[in-house]
Amino acid sequence: MTSPSTIPRQRALIVGATGITGQTVAKQLVDAGWDVTGLSRRGHSETAGVTSVTADLLDPASLATALTGTRPELVVITAWVKRDTETENIEVNSALVRNVLAALEGEKSVRHVALMTGLKHYLGPFDNYATGVTAETPFHEDEPRLPQPNFYYAQEDELFGSAARNGFTWSVHRAHTVFGFATDNAMNMVLTLSVYAAICKELGLTFTFPGSATQWNGVTDVTDVDLLAEQIIWAGTHPAGANEAFNIANGDVFRWRWLWPRVAAIFDVPWAGFEGEPRPLTVQMAGKDQVWSAIAEREGLVETDVTRLASWWHTDSDLGRNIECFTDMNKSRQAGFLGFRSTPDSFLDKVERYRAARIIP
């Protein structure tokens, strides 16, 4: 009789294991009993139970060395690299996917690959963002690609090509703004707004909505990172998730004019909404780096460098859009993934985790 200790454990590889999504997927898989390898440029995972490896994702030889013997059946790609133009974004981010999958071909262990992308699939790339949108809200997964270059499309094509050659299944996960727990991450609205609120409180400033009238008044949604990880793992372990692209958002919708006062109450700061024109964080927070350093030193926080915590530009991008933006979740639900989150509870949960980790006061 085979004992539980002799049953081979399932193996997973997380590409971008130190990121806002990667570390969450890794933790959930470890908790579920998987052997998890975390691949990142830094080579150190914050998640207990993850075997860390480091490699240059743009160097095939480095990847081949790092991944030899890992033999994952599930691969989750959450990493990306930002460059100045979309042409450069396509070059490096398609190479990232291509190189990782090529490095794993020889051992033929891969059964499923999940790729995280996002709503730029519907909205367009950074350098032509939300200007040529043709899809109606809520966005549906069967919308045709926009007629412009987009590194998400290039990554998908690398994934589809490798799947066809190597016989594994795939899934694509299109998240909206991700509420999660991570530092040194370019897409981290909860931590960005938390740092903004702390600086406002320190200086006696009003916690002022930085975005557009459209985002203040319009309907939107967001994605809790724990929910995103749950969908990724579900798609990689259930037949209904194979060879499909799925939106992933919390399942509720809201208006920032409703949520903003609730966020302000968490930090006990006075607030102001949209008044005539956007007031971007890149402008409001210019020259405030030393204010954060002083707060962090006085409160005994773990990070004094505000640039490793707050991504002013990305939150400005999300909250400054002049287009309504939310997604349809019916495809995922009909396939059997029924998870959801309350957005206010999601925001508060992440704030409490940042406080417990002494990242914010």
Side-chain angles (χ1 to χ4, degrees):
M1 180 176 179
T2 302
S3 68
S5 62
T6 62
I7 298 173
R9 284 157 59 98
Q10 295 172 293
R11 293 184 175 188
L13 170 69
I14 313 300
V15 182
T18 59
I20 194 168
T21 302
Q23 64 179 271
T24 304
V25 178
K27 183 180 186 305
Q28 290 188 12
L29 286 169
V30 168
D31 289 348
W34 288 62
D35 281 335
V36 179
T37 299
L39 173 65
S40 68
R41 285 168 291 179
R42 287 177 288 188
H44 174 70
S45 173
E46 301 294 329
T47 306
V50 172
T51 300
S52 297
V53 294
T54 184
D56 181 349
L57 301 180
L58 301 179
D59 180 353
S62 172
L63 278 168
T65 299
L67 297 180
T68 296
T70 56
R71 299 188 58 81
E73 55 189 281
L74 173 63
V75 179
V76 181
I77 302 176
T78 67
W80 69 288
V81 179
K82 188 177 187 300
R83 293 289 190 256
D84 291 337
T85 69
E86 194 60 15
T87 298
E88 294 172 290
N89 283 332
I90 289 169
E91 180 181 356
V92 298
N93 288 290
S94 60
L96 181 157
V97 174
R98 181 170 63 252
N99 293 344
V100 167
L101 297 181
L104 296 169
E105 282 187 1
E107 295 181 327
K108 302 187 183 305
S109 64
V110 178
R111 179 183 51 77
H112 184 90
V113 178
L115 172 68
M116 178 190 166
T117 63
L119 294 200
K120 286 188 291 298
H121 186 95
Y122 308 112
L123 297 171
F126 286 117
D127 53 10
N128 194 20
Y129 188 60
T131 60
V133 178
T134 58
E136 293 281 356
T137 50
F139 299 134
H140 297 83
E141 292 91 339
D142 60 359
E143 289 290 339
R145 291 178 174 183
L146 296 172
Q148 54 188 282
N150 190 317
F151 82 81
Y152 284 166
Y153 304 161
Q155 287 188 312
E156 285 186 345
D157 289 342
E158 293 291 348
L159 174 64
F160 302 157
S162 183
R165 291 191 303 274
N166 294 291
F168 58 75
T169 59
W170 55 267
S171 58
V172 176
H173 303 267
R174 298 173 185 162
H176 196 178
T177 300
V178 175
F179 283 7
F181 180 85
T183 58
D184 198 17
N185 189 275
M187 297 183 175
N188 197 340
M189 183 181 285
V190 174
L191 186 51
T192 296
L193 293 181
S194 297
V195 171
Y196 171 41
I199 292 174
C200 286
K201 190 166 188 175
E202 180 77 3
L203 298 179
L205 302 175
T206 299
F207 184 64
T208 301
F209 183 74
S212 67
T214 302
Q215 292 305 306
W216 180 248
N217 294 312
V219 174
T220 191
D221 60 15
V222 298
T223 304
D224 183 281
V225 75
D226 301 297
L227 181 69
L228 168 58
E230 289 167 13
Q231 190 198 58
I232 287 171
I233 295 170
W234 166 83
T237 55
H238 289 76
N243 302 327
E244 298 288 350
F246 294 108
N247 293 332
I248 177 62
N250 286 351
D252 59 2
V253 294
F254 65 94
R255 303 176 198 275
W256 276 106
R257 69 188 189 201
W258 174 84
L259 186 60
W260 196 255
R262 288 161 172 79
V263 172
I266 293 172
F267 302 103
D268 190 27
V269 288
W271 63 273
F274 178 84
E275 296 177 358
E277 62 182 6
R279 284 158 289 183
L281 294 175
T282 49
V283 176
Q284 291 192 57
M285 293 291 100
K288 303 292 195 300
D289 293 16
Q290 293 306 312
V291 177
W292 176 259
S293 296
I295 295 171
E297 290 173 3
R298 184 186 70 234
E299 301 294 333
L301 305 181
V302 298
E303 181 55 68
T304 61
D305 182 358
V306 74
T307 64
R308 298 196 67 228
L309 304 179
S311 47
W312 309 127
W313 69 271
H314 190 264
T315 294
D316 281 344
S317 178
D318 271 4
L319 298 183
R321 291 180 297 217
N322 283 309
I323 181 172
E324 184 179 72
C325 188
F326 62 100
T327 60
D328 183 86
M329 282 293 294
N330 280 334
K331 180 181 178 181
S332 181
R333 292 168 181 151
Q334 289 171 337
F337 180 76
L338 303 178
F340 70 94
R341 290 294 188 282
S342 157
T343 292
D345 290 349
S346 170
F347 194 101
L348 179 59
D349 171 69
K350 304 307 178 285
V351 169
E352 289 177 342
R353 290 178 64 187
Y354 284 122
R355 283 173 169 167
R358 302 303 300 155
I359 293 170
I360 61 174

